[in-house]
């Protein structure tokens, strides 16, 4: 992960347009020590940086891909 230290990928759903939406209250920890509280329905669109310049779509895509690769290798 780039900017995020801790995130529960299960709190988010990938949308067909490439965006991610939070589906429940989620607390995301950044590597800088900030905790970001996200309400259900928060949308992260590709190409936009939010909450101090974090590209959430890039981060969530990376986390999702890493989990997928880990599951395929087991």
């Amino acid at each position: 992960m780039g900017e995020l230290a801790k995130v529960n990928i299960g709190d988010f759903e990938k949308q067909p347009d490439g965006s991610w939406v939070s589906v429940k209250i989620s607390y995301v920890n950044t590597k800088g020590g900030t905790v970001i509280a996200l309400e259900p329905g928060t949308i992260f669109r590709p190409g936009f940086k939010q909450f101090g310049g974090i590209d959430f779509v890039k981060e969530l895509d990376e986390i999702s891909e890493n989990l997928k690769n880990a599951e395929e290798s087991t």
Side-chain angles (χ1 to χ4, degrees):
M1 289 185 287
E3 298 292 324
L4 301 180
K6 183 178 176 187
V7 60
N8 181 354
I9 193 72
D11 292 351
F12 302 88
E13 286 183 359
K14 177 95 179 215
Q15 303 301 300
D17 67 357
S19 65
W20 286 84
V21 63
S22 60
V23 294
K24 57 178 84 170
I25 293 174
S26 182
Y27 297 95
V28 177
N29 295 51
T30 69
K31 286 190 176 174
T34 303
V35 177
I36 302 168
L38 301 170
E39 293 291 326
T42 303
I43 299 171
F44 299 101
R45 295 191 184 346
F48 291 93
K49 294 184 177 183
Q50 296 170 282
F51 301 103
I54 298 172
D55 186 340
F56 273 84
V57 170
K58 180 181 173 190
E59 298 277 336
L60 293 171
D61 282 345
E62 183 180 317
I63 294 164
S64 177
E65 187 65 27
N66 289 343
L67 286 173
K68 179 181 166 188
N69 290 339
E71 289 172 359
E72 288 175 355
S73 65
T74 56

